[in-house]
Amino acid sequence: MTVLGYLANGLVFSSIIVLGSIGLSLVYSIADFANFAHGDTMTVGAYAALVTFGAVGGLGGAVLGLPYGFFLALVVGIAVAAVVAVGTEKLVYEPLDVDSIGLLITSIGIAFIYRAVIQIRFGSDFTRFGIQPLRPIESLVPYGVRVTLHDVAIVGSAVVLVAGLHVLLQYTDLGRKMRAMADNPDLARVSGIRTKRVKLWTWVIGAGLAGAGGVFLGLFNQLSPRMGFNLLLVIFAAVILGGIGSVYGAMAGGFLIGMINQLTPFFSGVVEALPIWPGWLATLLENLISIEYANAIAFVIMVAVLLVRPNGIAGEGAT
Amino acid sequence: MSLLDDPRRALSGLSRPESWVLGVSAAFALFLLAALLTGALGPTYFLFLVGLAGMYALLSFGLNAQWGFTGLINFSVAAFFGIGAYGSALMTADSSPIAGGFNPLVGLVVALVAAFVLALLIGIPTLRLRADYLAIASLGLAEVVRLIVLNERWLTNGSAGLRGIPSFFQGWPVLSTFPEAMPGLRLVVIPGTPILLETSFWRASLNVLLVLAFAGAAFLVLRRAHRSPWGRVLRTIRSDEDLARALGKNTYSFKMQSFVLGSLIMALAGVFYTHLNLYVGPGDLDPITTFYAWVAVILGGSGSNRGALFGGIVIVTIREGTRFLNDVALPIDPAPLRLLLIGVVIVAVMRYRPQGILPPQRELIWPSAVDGGGTPETPDSGVREQKGGGGDE
């Protein structure tokens, strides 16, 4: 594959990571804890879409190689993820009388419950949406880019969702309230913002985007009960790289982490070609920068960012 | 123990959750005894479960030294457990790709040294971080360790894992041949269902002795450390790190000490697991091990060692009880059921009893310093003297 091919793959994977990381970052800043159940919220969305798609079928026509029914399933996946998250907030997080560390630990329990319920219902095996896999787009293959129409749909939908979020945050009342609350919850409350309601909307938006990310992840790879949890740390890496609490930082971080993840084989080619001296260092780098360690590289970047620049690339206070 | 000296007064002095736990434990012990006597529970398997409970208790002790004492959110328990298991397995197993065939004691030392180095490697970058960042970073680094174990085939045998691990007592003077030397016993409690005690039983009982020794040593060390001036600094850091710093303590150094101490105990659990299970694979580094230990600690009560012991037993009950349920009553796959129970336990504890079932109360105080009804005695090594002579602070 060429650089362009890796970049194209990176773009598709980044779209999924961005959808996950925005929600995580929003919840981190407004509900004020690291939500370890976020990855499993993605799984919930994906499986809800799987069930819906299985029930409604294709519904006639198709856009970008995806039947209409799939888009309906996507909407249902988003809605179910949002409803589940709001229900969890109402039933579990809100009555809790613990600090943010306690909420973090609770969210691990919630993550296990989500995953266990899905695994009991669907088994632990991999499944797929019942959609024919497409061949790569012919006209792009000569450039070494092997993307399908499905990948184009993933990127397109992600762009639409992210643009919608941007409009919401910048130009609507709710968006202003959310930004105010992320900035200073007490001040927001004093100025008459109903913080509880804003928090609920945050869950709706964050979990909805996560649900969409989950559906696309299922389309990009496969569905399995562990799919979300496996991606959770990569998403955390993206959020931390972007700066916790910053939505635009999360977008940038998600983009970068997704790219780095998919470009790892390219980097390993570069390392092999470079004249690195001494020889043992070259061998070490060649071993470490390989596809098996794509996630590990993201985690190491995450720790490095936490040490060097805990506010992330977006810096402090940028929302 | 006071329970033996004066059972009635000791019982009436228990708090409500304590008597509740005691009651449930007694009922559970009776249930297990009945199952053993009727032959429903094989004695060898029972001893394996006891060993497993001891292993989880060790893991919880280790986590307690980090989270319970100092408030470090360490989500890399599985990495230390794994490095302990792999350290000893790589030294002792026949199929080890690097060394193999050494005495298990060598494996123990190597495992502890490896865990020490890993604790420094993980601790140096992460212990300066804020609590929630520490959680995420340590979980990430634990995954890095897991990926390395999974992929570096020349070192760890990759996904095939390591087999051919000897028992811990191989090469010891008497104990290495003890299971074979013991005669096979046949106990008939209920006519018709004899209980056979054979070589495997004696081998399992040796394992139980080993874990009792490990856990007992860890318990004593931790209890002493917790009450010492050193432990007081850790507790101060947990409740208010700025205060500890204002008192002139190098909190980073204290955090590192407690992190290393806990990590070594977790590695000890890994060493024991190697010789209990006789197989080690990359699956043992799965993050679920970390969360098992966490459930045990928060359920038992953060900072409480007897709580950690209780939590360890609960974890084994959940782990093996789901398997049993699957065989007998519910046709649900045990793996997700286990996950569900763990999740429900976490949420329920945080909801209804965030301090845990047996939070540390009197165990932080020297027993002689507690008003025991009569005239309070002067403690022979009380708080004041300790403060004056605390050279290690």
Side-chain angles (χ1 to χ4, degrees):
Chain A
M1 271 216 277
T2 61
V3 189
L4 272 180
Y6 288 121
L7 282 175
N9 279 356
L11 191 64
V12 181
F13 191 62
S14 299
S15 314
I16 297 166
I17 301 289
V18 165
L19 287 177
S21 57
I22 291 173
L24 190 60
S25 187
L26 267 180
V27 170
Y28 211 143
S29 62
I30 293 181
D32 196 30
F33 71 98
N35 180 17
F36 274 72
H38 196 74
D40 292 272
T41 311
M42 294 176 78
T43 319
V44 168
Y47 274 86
L50 178 75
V51 172
T52 317
F53 188 61
V56 300
L59 294 182
V63 187
L64 290 172
L66 291 170
Y68 292 152
F70 181 79
F71 290 98
L72 180 67
L74 173 64
V75 172
V76 172
I78 292 173
V80 169
V83 167
V84 166
V86 168
T88 311
E89 157 76 10
K90 277 274 164 206
L91 283 176
V92 180
Y93 297 132
E94 210 178 87
L96 279 185
D97 182 26
V98 291
D99 57 356
S100 69
I101 298 303
L103 285 172
L104 187 158
I105 295 172
T106 314
S107 73
I108 294 172
I110 297 290
F112 285 172
I113 293 175
Y114 288 174
R115 201 207 307 176
V117 169
I118 289 172
Q119 208 172 328
I120 288 173
R121 172 69 185 77
F122 297 94
S124 56
D125 295 334
F126 290 95
T127 42
R128 283 180 171 283
F129 291 113
I131 298 173
Q132 278 293 318
L134 295 178
R135 297 183 53 76
I137 301 170
E138 289 293 338
S139 55
L140 292 176
V141 171
Y143 303 101
V145 178
R146 301 179 67 83
V147 293
T148 64
L149 276 175
H150 290 168
D151 297 336
V152 176
I154 291 174
V155 176
S157 315
V159 167
V160 168
L161 287 170
V162 168
L165 181 74
H166 169 74
V167 170
L168 180 104
L169 279 179
Q170 295 299 331
Y171 303 108
T172 67
D173 209 31
L174 175 66
R176 266 189 290 276
K177 286 177 184 166
M178 282 170 70
R179 284 187 290 143
M181 224 185 126
D183 212 33
N184 188 335
D186 293 330
L187 200 55
R189 213 176 132 87
V190 172
S191 17
I193 294 173
R194 293 190 178 121
T195 48
K196 251 186 192 169
R197 198 177 291 177
V198 176
K199 207 190 248 183
L200 277 187
W201 276 110
T202 307
W203 280 104
V204 168
I205 295 167
L209 289 176
V215 176
F216 292 141
L217 184 65
L219 186 65
F220 183 66
N221 281 328
Q222 290 161 317
L223 292 97
S224 79
R226 279 195 70 125
M227 60 191 270
F229 193 77
N230 288 344
L231 203 65
L232 178 70
L233 272 171
V234 180
I235 294 174
F236 263 121
V239 169
I240 287 170
L241 178 61
I244 285 172
S246 151
V247 170
Y248 298 101
M251 291 177 194
F255 183 75
L256 278 175
I257 290 287
M259 278 291 178
I260 291 170
N261 192 297
Q262 295 292 309
L263 280 172
T264 309
F266 168 71
F267 290 141
S268 72
V270 171
V271 168
E272 259 170 58
L274 281 179
I276 295 177
W277 186 88
W280 60 267
L281 187 67
T283 327
L284 185 75
L285 282 179
E286 273 167 42
N287 271 333
L288 290 186
I289 302 182
S290 63
I291 191 79
E292 289 90 5
Y293 289 121
N295 285 350
I297 291 170
F299 304 155
V300 172
I301 291 176
M302 170 176 84
V303 175
V305 171
L306 279 176
L307 278 177
V308 180
R309 203 177 155 79
N311 291 324
I313 46 179
E316 210 172 6
T319 301
Chain B
M1 289 300 286
S2 57
L3 195 66
L4 297 178
D5 302 337
D6 189 355
R8 192 166 298 162
R9 216 183 69 195
L11 279 181
S12 66
L14 292 179
S15 66
R16 235 184 90 216
E18 278 175 334
S19 47
W20 187 82
V21 167
L22 191 68
V24 170
S25 310
F28 191 59
L30 278 178
F31 169 74
L32 285 180
L33 189 68
L36 271 177
L37 290 181
T38 55
L41 182 66
T44 310
Y45 180 59
F46 172 71
L47 287 185
F48 175 78
L49 292 187
V50 173
L52 217 52
M55 186 198 89
Y56 279 111
L58 260 180
L59 272 184
S60 321
F61 286 160
L63 184 58
N64 215 0
Q66 299 173 341
W67 160 247
F69 292 6
T70 325
L72 303 173
I73 305 201
N74 176 15
F75 279 172
S76 50
V77 176
F80 292 106
F81 175 73
I83 201 115
Y86 263 94
S88 67
L90 282 173
M91 283 295 122
T92 56
D94 298 337
S95 64
S96 165
I98 49 168
F102 282 103
N103 189 300
L105 279 178
V106 178
L108 175 69
V109 173
V110 168
L112 291 181
V113 170
F116 180 78
V117 173
L118 183 71
L120 291 182
L121 283 179
I122 293 188
I124 286 173
T126 57
L127 288 184
R128 286 188 199 279
L129 299 175
R130 220 175 73 184
D132 48 348
Y133 294 176
L134 172 62
I136 301 166
S138 58
L139 187 58
L141 290 178
E143 275 294 283
V144 173
V145 171
R146 188 180 71 86
L147 287 172
I148 290 175
V149 167
L150 184 63
N151 291 313
E152 298 301 317
R153 241 164 253 112
W154 59 273
L155 178 67
T156 63
N157 227 7
S159 56
L162 294 166
R163 289 175 196 284
I165 297 164
S167 131
F168 187 76
F169 295 102
Q170 192 174 66
W172 288 40
V174 181
L175 293 175
S176 63
T177 52
F178 171 78
E180 285 77 20
M182 284 303 286
L185 290 181
R186 195 184 141 95
L187 301 177
V188 183
V189 182
I190 297 167
T193 53
I195 299 168
L196 300 173
L197 305 181
E198 286 160 336
T199 313
S200 59
F201 173 80
W202 298 114
R203 195 169 290 138
S205 53
L206 274 186
N207 274 332
V208 169
L209 272 184
L210 178 65
V211 79
L212 284 181
F214 279 177
F219 184 84
L220 290 179
V221 167
L222 287 183
R223 199 174 62 160
R224 184 67 186 78
H226 202 189
R227 287 170 176 170
S228 71
W230 184 77
R232 277 204 302 277
V233 179
L234 296 189
R235 272 180 278 145
T236 315
I237 293 175
R238 183 193 158 106
S239 47
D240 190 342
E241 192 176 342
D242 292 335
L243 175 66
R245 210 177 283 152
L247 290 172
K249 307 295 179 201
N250 181 353
T251 54
Y252 180 64
S253 159
F254 275 97
K255 279 161 129 181
M256 183 62 86
Q257 289 163 20
S258 113
F259 190 73
V260 169
L261 176 67
S263 305
L264 290 181
I265 295 174
M266 291 168 191
L268 210 53
V271 172
F272 172 70
Y273 176 76
T274 300
H275 295 289
L276 176 76
N277 201 32
L278 305 184
Y279 166 76
V280 178
D284 296 323
L285 278 84
D286 193 278
I288 191 74
T289 309
T290 299
F291 297 118
Y292 278 145
W294 267 93
V295 171
V297 169
I298 60 169
L299 178 71
S302 307
S304 152
N305 284 325
R306 54 184 190 159
L309 186 63
F310 173 71
I313 294 171
V314 171
I315 289 296
V316 172
T317 312
I318 290 180
R319 244 190 74 152
E320 299 299 313
T322 48
R323 187 173 298 167
F324 172 76
L325 261 185
N326 182 43
D327 291 345
V328 179
L330 287 164
I332 296 180
D333 189 20
L337 191 61
R338 203 177 292 160
L339 207 57
L340 183 69
L341 282 175
I342 294 284
V344 169
V345 167
I346 293 179
V347 172
V349 169
M350 296 315 284
R351 174 82 177 81
Y352 298 105
R353 218 177 150 75
Q355 74 274 41
I357 290 179
L358 294 173
Q361 291 165 345
R362 273 163 289 181
E363 62 179 84
L364 298 185
I365 309 167
W366 286 98
S368 51
V370 180
D371 287 348
T375 47
E377 304 161 32
T378 321
D380 52 341
S381 58
V383 177
R384 267 167 220 291
E385 285 164 53
Q386 288 282 328
K387 231 176 206 166
D392 53 344
E393 269 190 63

